[in-house]
Amino acid sequence: MNKIVGVKNIQPKTVRNLNRFLTARLDRIATMMEILLAAHDNWTITGKRDVIVMETDTFDFKEAIKVLKEHGFTSDEFILRVEYTRKWGFL
């Protein structure tokens, strides 16, 4: 992407290379989504400008990492964030 944005005299070969890269990357992302959807069925999926967010509060993050790694994904291909909600109660 850096070879196209803000660059003058872009060559067709550069655009084709970007196309191949993005196609492969987007296919990898779709595969990752399929794997997670097969492993668990309670996801909220939101597409944003430069990210697809899959959220759930019913699937253990360790299991998500395990299933992705079993399918050949590395930790630099996804970002996993865990948020905890603290609840208070009175007896």
Side-chain angles (χ1 to χ4, degrees), residues 7-26:
V7 175
K8 295 181 182 179
N9 299 322
I10 298 171
Q11 299 300 310
K13 180 180 178 182
T14 306
V15 176
R16 286 189 177 98
N17 288 339
L18 177 60
N19 176 43
R20 282 191 287 278
F21 170 77
L22 290 177
T23 298
R25 186 67 193 131
L26 291 172

Side-chain angles (χ1 to χ4, degrees), residues 25-80:
R25 186 67 193 131
L26 291 172
D27 185 59
R28 191 96 169 128
I29 291 168
T31 300
M32 187 182 311
M33 291 173 69
E34 290 168 342
I35 291 165
L36 291 172
L37 287 166
H40 184 68
D41 63 355
N42 186 20
W43 294 98
T44 300
I45 305 172
T46 308
K48 298 188 179 183
R49 179 183 165 128
D50 58 354
V51 68
I52 297 171
V53 178
M54 295 182 69
E55 297 176 289
T56 185
D57 57 5
T58 57
F59 190 51
D60 186 81
F61 76 97
K62 290 179 185 175
E63 186 63 27
I65 291 172
K66 178 183 170 195
V67 73
L68 289 173
K69 290 195 176 204
E70 286 174 350
H71 286 86
F73 288 92
T74 61
S75 58
D76 63 338
E77 293 183 276
F78 57 88
I79 298 171
L80 185 64

Side-chain angles (χ1 to χ4, degrees), residues 61-62 80-84:
F61 76 97
K62 290 179 185 175
L80 185 64
R81 293 189 180 129
V82 179
E83 296 179 11
Y84 293 98

